[in-house]
Amino acid sequence: MKIELNRVSDAVHFEAASSFSDIKVHIDGSPEIGGEGLGARPMELVLMALASCSSLDLISILKKQRQVIEDLKVVVEAQRKDAIPAVFTSIHMIFKFKGNLDLPKVEKAAELAVKKYCSVHDMLAAGGVDITYAIEIN
């Protein structure tokens, strides 16, 4: 895997690209260091990576179980250390489903998706981050 990060402006606005696709991701720093609000901040991207990594596997497992997913939203909240570096200490995800879903199947699928298949989860957990999740079905 390889990515390339290019500075876009004289501030701290960057554009990242992967060797796997033509998609560009815009990254920017906080206003305190010259950020202009032109992209996601790096730590936001980590949370987005965790949520999307878990969700990709979760949806795949549920589709194999013939569960009907009308929609999925993931809300992620994190706490950070009050020191530099301000690493994450805990992260909580809420998987909010709409659809005709069997709760025990969703619970089992989430356990597998988050704790067995998601490499982002494993990297963060190996670094001491406490990661929890909940499931809501409407």
Side-chain angles (χ1 to χ4, degrees):
M1 181 178 290
K2 179 180 176 182
I3 66 108
E4 186 173 297
L5 183 74
N6 294 302
R7 189 172 180 199
V8 175
S9 69
D10 288 338
V12 289
H13 177 203
F14 296 91
E15 182 180 86
S18 168
S19 59
F20 291 112
S21 72
D22 294 328
I23 296 170
K24 309 290 185 201
V25 176
H26 289 265
I27 304 155
D28 204 350
S30 67
E32 293 82 25
I33 63 168
E36 301 173 316
L38 298 174
R41 294 183 189 175
M43 294 301 276
E44 291 172 326
L45 290 169
V46 172
L47 296 179
M48 291 176 197
L50 174 63
S52 59
C53 179
S54 299
S55 296
L56 292 170
D57 291 323
L58 181 52
I59 288 172
S60 176
I61 294 166
L62 291 172
K63 281 185 175 182
K64 288 177 185 173
Q65 295 176 344
R66 293 178 169 65
Q67 296 295 295
V68 178
I69 305 166
E70 293 172 16
D71 195 17
L72 171 61
K73 179 196 306 190
V74 185
V75 178
V76 183
E77 292 187 29
Q79 303 299 316
R80 294 174 73 175
K81 191 184 230 182
D82 193 22
I84 295 177
V87 298
F88 290 123
T89 55
S90 65
I91 300 171
H92 183 68
M93 297 185 288
I94 303 172
F95 295 96
K96 297 183 175 195
F97 285 95
K98 285 186 182 176
N100 186 13
L101 297 151
D102 179 72
L103 181 58
K105 287 184 178 182
V106 175
E107 290 172 338
K108 179 65 177 170
E111 180 77 15
L112 290 170
V114 174
K115 295 188 177 179
K116 183 174 181 180
Y117 297 122
C118 179
S119 52
V120 177
H121 169 277
D122 287 358
M123 286 191 307
L124 291 168
V129 181
D130 179 37
I131 302 171
T132 59
Y133 64 90
I135 297 164
E136 294 178 5
I137 300 175
N138 294 317

